[in-house]
Amino acid sequence: MDGGDETRGIPLPRPSADFVGSGPAMRKVFNLIEQVATTDVDVLILGDTGTGKELVARSVHDRSRRSNEPFVAVDSGAIPENLLESEFFGHERGAFTGADARRIGLLEHANGGTFFLDEVGELPLLLQAKLLRTLQERKLRRVGGREEIAIDVRVIAATGRNLEQMIREKTFREDLFYRINVVRIDLPPLRARGDDLGLLIEHFASRYSREMGKAVVGITPEAYQVLAHYRWPGNVRELQNVIRRGIALTRGSMISIDDLPDDIVSSAGLSEASSSANGATSGFFAERDRFVLKFERDYLSSLLRKHQGNVKSAAIEAELPRGTLYRLMKNHGLDGDQFR
């Protein structure tokens, strides 16, 4: 589909190709990435699970002077607490039982590049203190070592937890918070991103249909309404898996309600929408969305007729990005040529 001149976000090199968005919240994120990337300050990324915190971190790294140096990502919550210090700072031979050789830590591996510390709120207090000193001095000492090793590393931290509340509860150091919170990037949940949902659906449908070798061109309007009413607790990651599943299951050229998980359909309140065409009784949401679909089609048809199929001028009057208007037209099987 030709998206015209719509801003879908800044062009991001892989592995950030799934970073798609055009709404105000994501434009703010993109602008912050561009502004902070060329500096060398540490960054704190806040957002719920699945919102794309690592994509932001990689995008900052890819645009920085460190882009040709290592990007080392570590999930603090995935490493056993008794191994965290050794993993982060490395150890000398004989530092503890089983340390039969010197080992370089992850911070040293990131030297010259970017150290992405995901789930920083999971760090125990003792390690928070040692990390704070490393960030202040840009030096570290391996476990069991005496030598201080200078490192040149940019730290990008991320969490879905409320660090201010953790500070009040004395489970997160206030001085570490201020040290990593030089620039803060807040990622919105998917449910707050408006029409970005449609862009993401198109993006993932195109990607996974290619990967699976299937001729799936998109999603039906009814299925889109289901997804639009779902709350997306798993955010973009959950949407990604739903579209991948839909591509795998569908036997047609578009993902339908039947290809969506039952819990999503029922949670969206539209489980009976597909039966309404046969006159079956349906609930409030299904009735409402039939009216919305009819309004959309009637409005778009009238708009395109007025502008004689000129999508650019129609998008200007509708105050919609041109790519969004194309998507709505596609959902309703409309083409500008039929109005010329």
Side-chain angles (χ1 to χ4, degrees):
M1 182 187 72
D2 177 10
D5 56 2
E6 177 184 60
T7 302
R8 293 191 174 213
I10 49 181
L12 298 169
R14 289 193 180 277
S16 302
D18 291 334
F19 210 10
V20 175
S22 68
M26 290 307 295
R27 288 184 184 181
K28 182 177 180 180
V29 170
F30 297 147
N31 288 336
L32 278 171
I33 290 172
E34 290 289 356
Q35 289 173 318
V36 77
T38 55
T39 71
D40 219 21
V41 298
D42 296 332
V43 178
L44 176 62
I45 306 168
L46 300 180
D48 296 341
T49 181
T51 50
K53 295 187 288 294
E54 185 168 344
L55 291 181
V56 172
R58 286 187 181 273
S59 299
V60 171
H61 174 77
D62 289 342
R63 284 162 172 70
S64 73
R65 66 175 180 84
R66 302 174 181 270
S67 59
N68 293 322
E69 301 297 332
F71 177 89
V72 177
V74 56
D75 183 345
S76 307
I79 301 175
E81 186 172 332
N82 63 323
L83 297 179
L84 276 170
E85 186 177 12
S86 175
E87 287 291 317
F88 277 37
F89 299 97
H91 62 252
E92 298 290 350
R93 180 179 179 182
F96 49 83
T97 302
D100 51 4
R102 170 186 286 178
R103 182 178 179 184
I104 302 299
L106 295 171
L107 278 161
E108 273 190 85
H109 276 298
N111 195 26
T114 301
F115 182 71
F116 173 53
L117 179 54
D118 200 4
E119 300 303 337
V120 65
E122 302 298 325
L123 290 178
L125 282 168
L126 286 176
L127 193 61
Q128 290 179 32
K130 188 165 183 177
L131 178 63
L132 174 63
R133 186 175 184 279
T134 298
L135 295 182
Q136 289 173 333
E137 304 294 333
R138 283 322 199 240
K139 295 179 181 178
L140 61 81
R141 183 181 292 134
R142 300 187 191 117
V143 177
R146 295 184 177 181
E147 178 188 4
E148 283 200 326
I149 302 164
I151 58 169
D152 172 24
V153 64
R154 180 186 205 165
V155 173
I156 301 179
T159 185
R161 300 186 66 177
N162 186 330
L163 294 183
E164 283 103 334
Q165 181 178 343
M166 292 182 67
I167 291 169
R168 291 192 293 271
E169 295 170 350
K170 307 297 184 184
T171 56
F172 197 84
R173 293 182 62 111
E174 186 173 16
D175 45 7
L176 177 58
F177 173 74
Y178 289 122
R179 187 63 189 79
I180 61 177
N181 190 27
V182 180
V183 174
R184 170 171 161 174
I185 299 178
D186 291 280
L187 281 177
L190 180 56
R191 62 182 174 273
R193 289 179 55 181
D195 199 60
D196 281 358
L197 177 68
L199 298 178
L200 286 161
I201 289 171
E202 287 183 2
H203 173 75
F204 290 134
S206 174
R207 171 181 167 181
Y208 294 125
S209 61
R210 286 196 309 271
E211 288 183 4
M212 298 181 197
K214 300 187 72 172
V216 179
V217 298
I219 186 168
T220 66
E222 294 78 14
Y224 176 81
Q225 290 299 318
V226 169
L227 300 186
H229 286 88
Y230 184 57
R231 295 289 293 169
W232 298 109
N235 293 290
V236 177
R237 187 182 298 127
E238 184 181 10
L239 173 65
Q240 189 172 359
N241 291 332
V242 167
I243 299 301
R244 183 191 286 121
R245 176 189 189 275
I247 296 289
L249 294 181
T250 188
R251 296 182 178 179
S253 61
M254 302 187 82
I255 298 172
S256 70
I257 288 181
D258 293 337
D259 303 315
L260 301 178
D262 291 341
D263 59 332
I264 287 183
V265 177
S266 59
S267 295
L270 297 171
S271 57
E272 299 178 10
S274 60
S275 64
S276 61
N278 298 322
T281 302
S282 56
F284 166 79
F285 289 107
E287 291 291 340
R288 182 189 67 181
D289 287 296
R290 278 205 307 281
F291 280 109
V292 170
L293 288 170
K294 183 178 186 302
F295 162 76
E296 286 183 358
R297 184 176 180 84
D298 291 347
Y299 175 82
L300 293 172
S301 297
S302 175
L303 183 69
L304 291 167
R305 193 175 297 112
K306 176 181 178 181
H307 291 272
Q308 298 180 333
N310 187 318
V311 176
K312 181 177 180 180
S313 61
I316 292 172
E317 178 176 332
E319 298 181 359
L320 289 172
R322 198 190 311 178
T324 299
L325 183 56
Y326 272 116
R327 181 186 61 75
L328 289 169
M329 291 167 58
K330 181 178 177 181
N331 285 346
H332 291 278
L334 298 176
D335 190 289
D337 289 340
Q338 69 193 82
F339 296 93
R340 292 192 174 100

